[in-house]
Amino acid sequence: MSPKELNLREINFDGIVGPSHNYAGLSLGNIASASHKGDPSYPRAAALQGVGKMRGNLARLGVQGFLLPLPRPNALLENVLAYDGTEAPQLRAAPWSASSMWTANAATVSPAPDTNDGKCHLTVANLITMLHRAQEWPDTLRQLDIAFGDPDHFVVHGPVPPTFGDEGAANHGRFCEGHGSEGVELFVYGKPGGRFPARQHEQASRLVARSHGLDPAKCVFVEQNPAAIEAGAFHNDVVSVVNERVLFTHEEAFADQQGAYAAIRAAFPALEVVEVPSSAVSLKEAIRTYLFNAQLLTLPDGGMVLIVPEECRESASVWSYCEQMMASNGPIREVIPVDVRQSMANGGGPACLRLRVVCDPAAVDPRFMLDEAKADLLEKVISETWPEQIDPADLGSDTLTSQVVAAREALLTALDLGELK
Ligand code: SUG
């Protein structure tokens, strides 16, 4: 079947926040994670906030998917680390991380209209820069293989080999006239050498583009602004977001801002840039509020809505910009704040929590698709089994281990996904 004959839709696959969600300050260069290090976390509230966001988007778009939490604590990593209390507590915390909730980092996705074999390609991200994230890909790959297991529609690739760091869709965007039409893919990479790690390497981006069978004339490679990485934009999706013909971006997102626009325009002449100047919203405030870590969605009537964190409404400069934008003639006429505060405190906003896959919803394993009844089921299991609170000192305890393992198993059983146990 050619992509034209398919019912191609953009589906957001949100990561369900796992029962071990905690604040261990594991991500160097992620200011929110560092500043909440040691705080108590609320996994139940975190996961319910995530389901709330999914419900809103299900109502808006009529389609929504999800990915499951990974097995934690990760016994394999615990054994390798052989933590005995003599080293930094981060080593004890890494196998407990619920970081797979940020599914924008699960994979890079090239939809069928962009690829030379007419299938949707997904490359699981190796996430090698951070220890706690590098453990994710084997279990993420198992899920992708199931959810996108139909070989007539999907090709799921293993990770880019080290030493090329790959953080998946967080550094990737796709320009197109409509989600089902051919796109131009934007790959944004960082150059190492700064105070904080550049997590997405150019070689990884280029390798993904080649292995997905993209037309080189429809790929654009652009460098992140080192000053943005330095200011805490550890992924490019903290300072810009793409949907269809629109690039919503901070003025200081790219190393060469005008050069980036020109390169995109050369491949995609219909580009519409909505640039937020530093004079309206400073880079610091953009990163603090995660204005750009937003879901820019096309509604069924063709209008675009921006789903932002509640923190944006609480910032005078950010919200006055949003109000001005809503009153303008620009492409983004609606801005909707959502409460994902538990995720935000670890540096993950609405966009981090979702992986966009353009495909025929009927081609996805239905166990990964949400409807209202399943949202009720998720809320029930989470409310009954997710720990209410975790203090970082609890990590490693037998009681918490049993609770976290049992909670995830209850969810897998409820969703008939026992093969992931
Ligand atoms: O990789 N935070 C994640 C946040 C990922 C956000 N994703 C996107 N921007 N797409 C990270 O830094 C914090 C975990 C801790 O510190 O315990 C963490 O991993």
Side-chain angles (χ1 to χ4, degrees):
M1 223 187 276
S2 86
K4 285 190 191 67
E5 296 163 55
L6 297 169
N7 167 31
L8 295 179
R9 304 275 309 268
E10 178 180 275
I11 312 174
N12 289 278
F13 287 84
D14 280 39
I16 296 174
V17 179
S20 67
H21 162 62
N22 68 87
Y23 300 122
L26 299 179
S27 271
L28 178 65
N30 172 340
I31 291 168
S33 149
S35 63
H36 290 276
K37 177 180 175 179
D39 286 359
S41 62
Y42 299 91
R44 194 181 300 165
L48 293 174
Q49 287 169 1
V51 177
K53 171 167 99 72
M54 283 199 277
R55 267 194 198 279
N57 286 338
L58 176 65
R60 270 170 217 118
L61 305 173
V63 65
Q64 175 71 46
F66 55 84
L67 294 175
L68 283 306
L70 305 185
R72 296 288 177 267
N74 178 355
L76 220 62
L77 183 62
E78 279 187 324
N79 287 341
V80 170
L81 295 175
Y83 183 73
D84 63 1
T86 56
E87 281 178 274
Q90 276 91 333
L91 280 193
R92 186 186 62 183
W96 285 80
S97 179
S99 51
S100 68
M101 70 172 89
W102 300 297
T103 50
N105 305 117
T108 307
V109 184
S110 297
D114 302 358
T115 66
N116 59 7
D117 62 1
K119 295 182 187 181
C120 175
H121 285 243
L122 299 96
T123 293
V124 70
N126 65 22
L127 296 168
I128 55 169
T129 304
M130 299 285 161
L131 170 66
H132 69 290
R133 303 226 56 182
Q135 66 182 321
E136 290 175 30
W137 75 258
D139 290 306
T140 301
L141 184 57
R142 282 178 69 203
Q143 283 193 58
L144 298 180
D145 278 338
I146 299 172
F148 308 106
D150 184 339
D152 290 338
H153 293 264
F154 301 104
V155 181
V156 178
H157 299 259
V160 168
T163 56
F164 306 135
D166 179 19
E167 303 273 322
N171 280 60
H172 176 253
R174 177 172 185 263
F175 297 97
C176 54
E177 293 291 348
H179 292 130
S181 50
E182 189 181 10
V184 164
E185 299 198 16
L186 173 69
F187 294 85
V188 189
Y189 58 86
K191 283 206 179 133
R195 183 159 67 110
F196 295 140
R199 298 207 212 172
Q200 181 71 37
H201 297 178
E202 181 178 357
Q203 286 307 328
S205 299
R206 291 190 182 273
L207 197 159
V208 169
R210 287 196 299 275
S211 67
H212 286 191
L214 303 181
D215 175 354
K218 307 252 173 208
C219 295
V220 182
F221 298 89
V222 163
E223 189 194 339
Q224 278 172 275
N225 183 358
I229 299 179
E230 180 107 10
F234 52 94
H235 290 136
N236 181 65
D237 68 2
V238 173
V239 281
S240 70
V241 60
V242 176
N243 183 52
E244 295 184 333
R245 63 186 191 285
V246 177
L247 169 65
F248 179 55
T249 182
H250 192 269
E251 183 186 358
E252 297 175 62
F254 306 111
D256 172 3
Q257 198 79 13
Q258 296 309 320
Y261 300 158
I264 298 165
R265 203 162 266 131
F268 185 77
L271 172 70
E272 202 169 324
V273 177
V274 180
E275 181 188 84
V276 181
S278 309
S279 57
V281 177
S282 69
L283 187 57
K284 192 172 171 201
E285 192 64 353
I287 292 171
R288 192 186 70 76
T289 58
Y290 266 38
L291 169 62
F292 299 94
N293 199 265
Q295 289 184 263
L296 186 52
L297 303 170
T298 305
L299 298 170
D301 69 2
M304 280 193 202
V305 58
L306 192 71
I307 311 293
V308 299
E310 273 290 354
E311 283 79 351
C312 290
R313 183 153 50 186
E314 292 157 8
S315 159
S317 65
V318 170
W319 197 245
S320 99
Y321 178 84
C322 289
E323 285 184 324
Q324 205 184 308
M325 180 166 71
M326 284 188 273
S328 77
N329 278 332
I332 307 170
R333 303 281 178 86
E334 201 183 349
V335 180
I336 300 180
V338 290
D339 178 3
V340 287
R341 286 181 202 278
Q342 282 290 307
S343 169
M344 282 287 285
N346 247 340
C352 299
L353 285 162
R354 61 90 175 97
L355 180 69
R356 291 183 283 188
V357 180
V358 171
C359 68
D360 185 341
V364 179
D365 186 317
R367 293 174 296 177
F368 294 87
M369 299 299 294
L370 193 76
D371 56 24
E372 286 297 335
K374 216 182 273 183
D376 291 346
L377 181 64
L378 293 180
E379 283 175 349
K380 181 174 181 312
V381 176
I382 290 164
S383 303
E384 286 172 2
T385 64
W386 256 232
E388 192 184 345
Q389 178 175 339
I390 294 181
D391 294 302
D394 302 336
L395 300 180
S397 90
D398 290 344
T399 320
L400 188 61
T401 302
S402 316
Q403 195 183 358
V404 161
V405 169
R408 178 174 176 272
E409 288 195 2
L411 184 66
L412 296 180
T413 303
L415 295 172
D416 193 23
L417 275 161
E419 66 256 57
L420 287 172
K421 275 184 191 165

